[in-house]
Amino acid sequence: MKKRNTFLMTLLLLCTAWTAKAQGPRGGFAQAPSTVVHADNTVTFNYRNNNAKQVQVDVQFAGRKDMTKGENGVWTVTLGPTAPDIYPYCFIVDGNQVMDPQCPEWFPNEGFKNSLLDMRGDGNLIHALKDVPHGKVDYVNYWSEAMGMFGNAIVYTPPFYDKNPGKKYPVMYLISGTTDTEEVYFKVGKMNLILDNLIAQGKAKDMIIVLPYGNPSLLMGKGSGNPMQFNLFDKDMLENLMPFVEKNYRTLNDAAHRAIGGFSRGGNQALSIGLNHLDMFSHLCSYSSFTQLRPGQLDDAKTLNSKIKLFWLGVGTDDFLYGNAKSFMDNLDEHGIKNVKVFTNDKHGHTWMNARYFLDQSFRLLFQDKPYDIAKANPTPKVEAPAPRQDQQFTPGVMARMFPKPIVSPEYNQDGSVTFRYKSDNASQVELECQMFSGHKPMTKDADGIWSITVTPEVPDIYPYSFFVDGTQLNDPNNMYLFPNENFKGNLVDVKGKEPGVQDIQEVPQGKVSYCYYFSKQFGIERPMCVYTPAGYDPAGKEKLPVLYLIHGMTDTYETWFKVGHANNILDNLIAQGKAKRMIVVMPYANPAPELRIQGKGEQYNLMDAKQIANEIVKEVMPYIEQNYNVLTDADHRAVAGFSLGGRQCLATGFGNPDLFHYVAAYAPAIFGDEYKQNFSNGTYAPISDLKSKLKFMFLGTGRDDFLIEASRGFDAYLTEQGLKHTFYNPTGGHTWMNCRDYLELTVKELFK
């Protein structure tokens, strides 16, 4: 048995195996102090990099500021004070944009990659995660005839939606801004929390919110396309997404109960669709957007006022699109078209601080009987609307800045190879690190300062990768698909084979992954998790399903089994083939430390103690699931599985509670030496005799090249010696999510038989 401090360092080195590379000297692992929010609302930013010659922080409340290098290569600066809110930020390291490797939250975007500074203030901000009833946020796939492929969207359902099967709801389609993904209104805009809080206060109607992806041409492999050409988006949304939503959710399907809105480019898309389809939408919202109109489109004010129940517009007077937005507002007034206008001057312009505020204000008026009377009776703080400056117009220069010529990376070639690109004019060396191969491969620079390399994987799969630019690890700024992680977040390259793999989206009935919240009494905070439900699951139906609790690895998050492990696709495909039982899969967040740290409660969590998460699953997560989902609640219909540190926690949960779980699967579990023997004697695991009589299935999977293989071999031998029936799967490969997907496939085929 290794000493505990050695064990902790080993765990730190695994960090999802592939991400244990420092921002300092290559090959070392060094944690910088986290960004700190002080009581006076100043913020100290910290970043460790021994190689860098210059480091700056770029944050929306202060702009770009130089940082000073201190001890151990930690660069630091203190800025502010500023008003509590959520601020995107990044580090500029020798001219390269770098996300904060110590921050688990990021800004979902096709291009730039920022971290998110979440300043909580007194906990009463409009988007605060409060102890109120929460709605769910579903990630869904729908077949798009317009694109000839599956599209993706996010759907919010209000609190108690599943408990009221006879109730139908109004729906708002909410479109994100230029280069943003459909996740932004959820992850940055916090639309779900804003609406949860307003509904709890009786200040907003229950409603469904749908978040489409505003740039479908990118999904079709056509580069960035032209995001100003809305025809494809319009067609996809109106003819494919809306029918999907109305078939799968209980929506009120008339113009009086439909709203459409958006931020920036999304606002333009929303008003274009809404004004052209007033037979379908009667509530129109524009948040910091420029707007294009057909000649004469506003001339018939009487008809417009009779059809539009709410026309809501908001913009900051310091927004670079203020001139265009203000001109459109003036145009409405000149034509006698009723509207609500909200101006701000204190939220840093074209920002999501403004977008959240606009959501809060407009949600209060949507689907109300007399929205203009309510707005008049509850005015927002008056802000003067000055004449626009010359630089606040949507010009060709602004167009070029908003829609720059893209660099395609990764580019999937017909021969199965992949080309990676990174632009850096001043770098002396750029290398690619990717799990397609071992080590690093040098990239070649062209006359335009673009470094590139083409690689062919041995087998099609989903591979994490990153760039090393003069020794500093960076993600790919041109790839929207990130590896969810509490520390460094690389990218994912998805190489398809000639035939779709079990991890791919296939033309089978699609389940969904829902994000939900529960209150943890153990940790005293609201906590998130993901829940997969199979196609056709009806929360109000008679079908009850078994449950698999699936735990992620160290520094991974509750999203990793979904976004990297593709657990939903694997289950969809195997269920459709009759190779797996219909089941619900619960993906809890096994590490409360980031949230506890923000709230100053970090001392409550001990990374070493797997029994803490076992206790969380048994006493907090399971009761929530069994109260809110149609599940079977006996041990014969419960399973638990996990990878790496999650495998360690899975063993503590399953082996520790054989009366609750009859199926246990550990994937490369973080057990060391022969400590499993002590776990049987110290009460972490139940006696072997109990496991032998109660477990129906036990799976242990670890790759031959995994750094944890020797402990797994010893564990396998010990279980065999003790007569505990189990499966030991020992494939090629190491501590990777490529192997994890295989482990999961093999496991779910055997569950609940």
Side-chain angles (χ1 to χ4, degrees):
M1 171 83 176
K2 293 180 183 289
K3 294 182 179 179
R4 285 196 170 243
N5 61 344
T6 306
F7 168 62
L8 178 58
M9 287 305 298
T10 306
L11 280 179
L12 288 173
L13 284 170
L14 72 90
C15 285
T16 40
W18 83 280
T19 58
K21 296 289 193 297
Q23 297 293 329
R26 190 169 69 201
F29 185 85
Q31 293 277 58
S34 301
T35 294
V36 179
V37 177
H38 303 289
D40 63 354
N41 289 327
T42 58
V43 182
T44 298
F45 295 90
N46 296 296
Y47 170 73
R48 173 171 278 139
N49 190 321
N50 281 311
N51 296 330
K53 299 178 178 63
Q54 181 187 42
V55 178
Q56 299 170 302
V57 65
D58 193 342
V59 59
Q60 276 188 336
F61 70 78
R64 189 171 293 193
K65 301 295 183 183
D66 290 331
M67 301 178 72
T68 302
K69 187 176 182 179
E71 294 182 0
N72 300 318
V74 176
W75 299 75
T76 186
V77 67
T78 299
L79 302 175
T82 188
D85 213 316
I86 300 174
Y87 297 97
Y89 74 101
C90 65
F91 300 115
I92 308 299
V93 182
D94 296 332
N96 298 293
Q97 184 172 327
V98 180
M99 296 171 67
D100 185 349
Q102 290 289 88
C103 178
E105 303 297 330
W106 76 91
F107 194 120
N109 195 275
E110 297 166 2
F112 68 86
K113 304 295 185 292
N114 277 343
S115 300
L116 295 174
L117 170 65
D118 190 353
M119 297 179 66
R120 304 293 178 85
D122 62 2
N124 287 312
L125 296 173
I126 58 175
H127 58 268
L129 176 57
K130 298 180 180 180
D131 186 9
V132 300
H134 294 295
K136 290 194 297 186
V137 178
D138 300 340
Y139 279 53
V140 298
N141 299 313
Y142 63 96
W143 180 255
S144 170
E145 292 290 345
M147 293 191 291
M149 60 183 292
F150 278 100
N152 40 273
I154 295 174
V155 181
Y156 164 88
T157 52
F160 311 115
Y161 174 87
D162 289 347
K163 302 293 185 181
N164 295 291
K167 183 176 179 180
K168 292 186 176 183
Y169 297 83
V171 58
M172 182 187 196
Y173 291 84
L174 188 55
I175 310 167
S176 58
T178 308
T179 75
D180 295 334
T181 75
E182 75 280 4
E183 286 193 301
V184 175
Y185 259 118
F186 169 36
K187 293 299 186 67
V188 187
K190 305 293 182 182
M191 55 87 197
N192 57 315
L193 300 183
I194 292 171
L195 194 49
D196 285 346
N197 295 335
L198 289 174
I199 291 171
Q201 297 165 26
K203 295 179 179 179
K205 296 283 190 181
D206 285 6
M207 68 185 80
I208 291 170
I209 299 178
V210 180
L211 309 182
Y213 176 46
N215 188 15
S217 63
L218 188 60
L219 298 180
M220 298 171 66
K222 296 182 178 180
S224 65
N226 183 348
M228 294 302 295
Q229 296 298 320
F230 301 149
N231 292 344
L232 177 60
F233 173 77
D234 293 8
K235 187 175 180 65
D236 175 54
M237 185 183 140
L238 296 173
E239 298 181 11
N240 301 134
L241 177 57
M242 282 182 59
F244 171 87
V245 170
E246 292 172 3
K247 179 181 178 181
N248 291 279
Y249 292 87
R250 300 191 307 276
T251 57
L252 293 164
N253 301 326
D254 58 9
H257 296 95
R258 288 198 199 101
I260 189 166
F263 173 65
S264 191
R265 181 197 70 193
N268 194 6
Q269 290 171 304
L271 293 189
S272 174
I273 291 174
L275 288 170
N276 290 325
H277 297 86
L278 291 177
D279 58 327
M280 302 176 71
F281 301 93
S282 65
H283 296 69
L284 312 181
C285 297
S286 168
Y287 311 132
S288 304
S289 65
F290 54 91
T291 305
Q292 297 170 315
L293 290 170
R294 298 195 313 267
Q297 194 164 16
L298 301 180
D299 288 350
D300 189 355
K302 182 178 180 180
T303 298
L304 291 175
N305 284 331
S306 68
K307 291 187 174 183
I308 300 174
K309 293 183 176 297
L310 174 65
F311 209 142
W312 198 100
L313 307 102
V315 69
T317 61
D318 49 353
D319 194 310
F320 73 91
L321 292 179
Y322 171 68
N324 298 88
K326 180 66 163 55
S327 294
F328 182 70
M329 294 174 180
D330 292 343
N331 206 358
L332 292 180
D333 291 342
E334 290 165 5
H335 284 80
I337 296 169
K338 292 186 293 185
N339 64 87
V340 174
K341 292 183 287 292
V342 173
F343 298 99
T344 65
N345 60 7
D346 60 346
K347 294 177 172 57
H348 307 288
H350 200 73
T351 67
W352 282 87
M353 285 78 81
N354 264 324
R356 284 186 292 274
Y357 176 70
F358 295 154
L359 285 183
D360 176 72
Q361 295 300 312
S362 58
F363 280 169
R364 298 164 187 254
L365 303 181
L366 289 177
F367 311 118
Q368 302 285 359
D369 290 336
K370 296 181 179 180
Y372 294 114
D373 291 347
I374 296 172
K376 187 175 181 179
N378 300 276
T380 58
K382 183 174 177 57
V383 174
E384 294 298 326
R389 302 189 308 267
Q390 187 66 31
D391 62 346
Q392 292 180 309
Q393 300 292 333
F394 191 65
T395 64
V398 172
M399 176 83 169
R401 178 161 60 87
M402 293 184 69
F403 310 117
K405 182 179 178 181
I407 296 172
V408 180
S409 179
E411 181 177 8
Y412 300 94
N413 305 312
Q414 291 186 349
D415 62 359
S417 65
V418 183
T419 300
F420 300 88
R421 297 182 177 91
Y422 184 83
K423 182 172 176 57
S424 181
D425 295 315
N426 300 321
S428 59
Q429 183 183 52
V430 179
E431 299 171 296
L432 172 69
E433 180 190 61
C434 181
Q435 282 191 351
M436 292 182 190
F437 51 83
S438 60
H440 293 197
K441 289 185 179 292
M443 300 172 68
T444 303
K445 183 180 179 181
D446 68 13
D448 295 322
I450 297 174
W451 299 74
S452 65
I453 187 174
T454 298
V455 183
T456 303
E458 290 185 6
V459 294
D461 213 320
I462 304 167
Y463 296 92
Y465 74 95
S466 62
F467 299 122
F468 278 80
V469 180
D470 292 335
T472 296
Q473 189 176 16
L474 305 174
N475 54 36
D476 187 341
N478 301 292
N479 183 354
M480 74 175 90
Y481 300 107
L482 289 179
F483 191 121
N485 197 275
E486 294 167 358
N487 294 331
F488 178 79
K489 299 161 191 65
N491 297 89
L492 298 171
V493 55
D494 188 353
V495 184
K496 305 294 186 185
K498 293 181 180 179
E499 299 295 330
V502 70
Q503 76 275 8
D504 295 323
I505 296 179
Q506 299 182 23
E507 293 188 39
V508 300
Q510 300 290 305
K512 66 184 178 184
V513 174
S514 301
Y515 288 58
C516 51
Y517 300 91
Y518 66 96
F519 184 78
S520 168
K521 295 177 183 177
Q522 178 178 196
F523 297 114
I525 55 176
E526 294 277 338
R527 304 210 61 216
M529 63 179 164
C530 287
V531 181
Y532 163 85
T533 51
Y537 167 77
D538 182 357
K542 295 182 179 180
E543 179 190 36
K544 291 184 179 291
L545 296 175
V547 185
L548 166 63
Y549 293 85
L550 188 58
I551 312 173
H552 59 80
M554 182 180 177
T555 80
D556 296 331
T557 75
Y558 60 105
E559 296 185 313
T560 312
W561 269 113
F562 160 40
K563 292 187 174 180
V564 185
H566 285 212
N568 56 320
N569 294 345
I570 292 171
L571 265 295
D572 285 343
N573 296 331
L574 293 179
I575 290 170
Q577 296 166 19
K579 296 180 179 178
K581 298 285 188 181
R582 288 170 57 80
M583 68 184 76
I584 288 174
V585 181
V586 178
M587 294 161 269
Y589 195 1
N591 183 13
E595 183 65 24
L596 291 171
R597 184 177 66 242
I598 290 174
Q599 297 194 17
K601 302 177 182 178
E603 70 281 354
Q604 295 184 16
Y605 180 68
N606 177 8
L607 178 69
M608 304 290 292
D609 187 359
K611 288 196 286 188
Q612 275 197 294
I613 291 302
N615 188 60
E616 177 84 353
I617 290 172
V618 169
K619 295 186 177 180
E620 312 280 11
V621 177
M622 273 177 48
Y624 175 89
I625 294 298
E626 294 177 0
Q627 290 169 14
N628 291 280
Y629 289 84
N630 276 352
V631 298
L632 296 160
T633 57
D634 59 286
D636 279 351
H637 296 95
R638 286 197 205 100
V640 61
F643 169 52
S644 193
L645 183 60
R648 177 185 181 87
Q649 294 163 337
C650 149
L651 290 170
T653 304
F655 274 21
N657 298 279
D659 289 332
L660 299 176
F661 299 91
H662 284 173
Y663 299 83
V664 179
Y667 311 145
I671 51 176
F672 297 86
D674 61 356
E675 66 173 325
Y676 45 80
K677 295 181 180 179
Q678 295 188 30
N679 288 338
F680 280 109
S681 61
N682 66 18
T684 300
Y685 302 162
I688 278 282
S689 58
D690 285 357
L691 301 182
K692 289 167 65 175
S693 64
K694 294 175 181 178
L695 291 189
K696 292 193 169 185
F697 174 76
M698 195 276 159
F699 178 94
L700 175 64
T702 308
R704 296 171 203 167
D705 301 319
D706 197 305
F707 72 95
L708 293 169
I709 183 57
E710 292 306 319
S712 287
R713 284 175 176 151
F715 191 35
D716 165 55
Y718 181 78
L719 295 179
T720 301
E721 177 186 319
Q722 297 298 315
L724 179 61
K725 185 178 179 181
H726 66 286
T727 296
F728 180 43
Y729 179 55
N730 184 212
T732 58
H735 202 74
T736 68
W737 279 88
M738 284 80 81
N739 269 352
C740 272
R741 287 185 287 272
D742 292 340
Y743 302 150
L744 180 63
E745 178 185 357
L746 293 171
T747 298
V748 297
K749 287 178 178 179
E750 301 300 323
L751 294 182
F752 313 123
K753 289 186 174 180

